[in-house]
Amino acid sequence: MVPHVVITWVTTARGGAENSVLELADNLARLGPNVDVVWWRHGGPAASPGMAARVHDVSDWDSYRQTLTGVCRAAGDRPVVVISSHRTVAADALLAPHARVIPVVRHVVNANQVLRVIDPHDGALVERTIGDLPWDVLAGVPVWVGISHASSASLRQHVPRARYVSTIHNGVAIPGTVPARARPVTGRLLVASVARTVPWKRMDHLVRAVADPRLSTAVRLDVFGEAGSHQGELEDLVRELAAPVYFMGYTEDLPQRLAGYDLLATAAVQEGFGRAVIDAAGAAVPALVPNAGASPELVIDGLTGLVYDPDDPWDLVAALTDALLDREALARMGRAARALAEAWYTPGRCAAQYLTLVMGQRRISRELEAAR
């Protein structure tokens, strides 16, 4: 019997993770299962309409609790699988005790990293390290998912009580054709970055790099994304260094906007996936990424983009200089990046892997029980 699938999500901002969750729900529903999405707006956006999955948009703990228990009851005798996240897994495990809960961790976690999670007893958004999650509640969760090999490896290292960890890379919907390149005529190397301006994104590293005297008159960096807690400090740094950096804000048409750039650059070393790399690939734009977190999984150095040492600021400057001096190589890498994205990072492939995991829940549980 095909399980009824419920996907839960707590959104606190507009970003790539929100898009990935909705694309997963839509594509999973197209493969056959009944899919409900319980979408808790906790300061973030409403869910997009017009999906194959049923979306329940809620705005508080009582509504979340009632909606989740309601859709689980509505499944009747059909088994229920809840695809959760680190934020909601404990709450979901308590609210749906007869369902199989699969938490998806969208970070590269470490022992001291503070995560924002829903308290399963009162619905408050609280801060916890991975080790401080309520593992008495989570002991029965048989399978965890990391959205990259780096994410899964961090779970195996820091969450030994996560008994089985599977890796399922995100899927990203890319345009059917390469968007038209509409770029300003500046003669500069146009570099885009996509990130909320929060400290862990390390945008200051990119600002300092493009402010280097060898690059500052030949490069321009445009930053797309919602303003975060680090925005004011970054703006002060841009003014202090006279850096060629512009903050563009959040955009709904990111792939089309990225088509006007020569290169995407990132700096975060704890990126769980890095959706912007694939968004850029859809526009045939290569990426420059640090050799840390999940980023080097998405970029084949020298073929679909460039990888630099995040601990060496001069290596970032050198990589930008190489990009500046060889625009033809960037164009070749952009075409290869799009081909790779079309071959592997598709929403259909991602949904098919989740469906395989959903259908195998009973077998996995039996294997884990036998191994005890």
Side-chain angles (χ1 to χ4, degrees):
M1 183 181 295
V2 178
H4 185 105
V5 178
V6 182
I7 299 176
T8 62
W9 183 251
V10 175
T11 176
T12 57
R14 293 180 296 181
E18 279 69 23
N19 293 332
S20 293
V21 169
L22 293 174
E23 287 170 354
L24 170 61
D26 192 40
N27 283 272
L28 195 55
R30 294 177 191 279
L31 290 176
N34 291 322
V35 178
D36 283 279
V37 180
V38 184
W39 183 271
W40 184 353
R41 285 180 287 109
H42 212 298
S48 303
M51 295 172 51
R54 292 178 294 272
V55 178
H56 308 267
D57 202 321
V58 304
S59 58
D60 56 61
W61 170 241
D62 286 340
S63 298
Y64 180 87
R65 184 179 58 205
Q66 292 167 13
T67 302
L68 177 57
T69 55
V71 296
C72 289
R73 281 196 305 268
D77 294 333
R78 187 176 297 276
V80 177
V81 174
V82 178
I83 299 177
S84 185
S85 71
H86 74 269
R87 283 186 178 169
T88 54
V89 58
D92 293 349
L94 286 179
L95 293 173
H98 301 297
R100 296 291 184 184
V101 178
I102 302 175
V104 181
V105 177
R106 300 178 179 275
H107 295 276
V108 175
V109 298
N110 59 54
N112 299 317
Q113 181 181 0
V114 174
L115 303 172
R116 301 174 74 195
V117 303
I118 297 297
D119 186 294
H121 302 291
D122 61 10
L125 191 62
V126 296
E127 295 185 344
R128 299 284 187 269
T129 64
I130 194 75
D132 289 334
L133 295 182
W135 286 100
D136 55 333
V137 175
L138 302 179
V141 174
V143 181
W144 293 67
V145 173
I147 61 172
S148 62
H149 294 302
S151 177
S152 294
S154 71
L155 279 169
R156 294 187 185 100
Q157 179 179 358
H158 298 292
V159 192
R161 285 166 287 186
R163 297 181 288 167
Y164 181 92
V165 180
S166 180
T167 300
I168 302 179
H169 287 95
N170 282 345
V172 179
I174 63 175
T177 58
V178 178
R181 295 182 66 82
R183 55 170 291 157
V185 181
T186 66
R188 293 179 177 235
L189 179 77
L190 296 183
V191 182
S193 191
V194 181
R196 287 186 70 219
T197 48
V198 291
W200 74 271
K201 291 288 187 177
R202 294 174 22 122
M203 293 303 300
D204 55 310
H205 290 250
L206 295 181
V207 170
R208 294 182 188 280
V210 300
D212 186 281
R214 291 163 292 185
L215 294 174
S216 60
T217 60
V219 174
R220 168 176 152 174
L221 173 66
D222 289 352
V223 180
F224 293 91
E226 283 193 334
S229 61
H230 206 38
Q231 179 84 16
E233 293 178 38
L234 286 171
E235 290 175 347
D236 290 343
L237 183 63
V238 167
R239 286 191 290 268
E240 176 189 340
L241 300 179
V245 177
Y246 301 87
F247 296 97
M248 313 300 288
Y250 182 83
T251 178
E252 295 283 357
D253 59 343
L254 185 60
Q256 288 72 29
R257 296 291 296 273
L258 290 177
Y261 292 83
D262 300 300
L263 184 69
L264 176 90
T266 71
V269 296
Q270 288 184 285
E271 199 71 76
F273 180 74
R275 180 188 172 95
V277 172
I278 310 303
D279 279 325
V285 174
L288 170 63
V289 301
N291 189 23
S295 295
E297 295 179 41
L298 308 186
V299 173
I300 302 174
D301 192 20
L303 179 62
T304 67
L306 300 168
V307 179
Y308 67 91
D309 181 354
D311 296 322
D312 182 357
W314 299 113
D315 199 40
L316 175 55
V317 171
L320 286 167
T321 302
D322 289 343
L324 174 65
L325 296 177
D326 197 344
R327 308 288 182 91
E328 291 185 5
L330 289 184
R332 288 196 302 272
M333 288 189 283
R335 291 191 293 270
R338 180 175 167 92
L340 179 62
E342 289 177 318
W344 180 247
Y345 296 105
T346 68
R349 184 273 313 156
C350 177
Q353 285 187 277
Y354 274 100
L355 181 59
T356 300
L357 193 59
V358 165
M359 295 298 291
Q361 280 300 286
R362 290 185 177 180
R363 174 187 57 78
I364 291 170
S365 295
R366 288 196 302 266
E367 291 175 354
L368 289 170
E369 290 300 323
R372 282 186 169 181

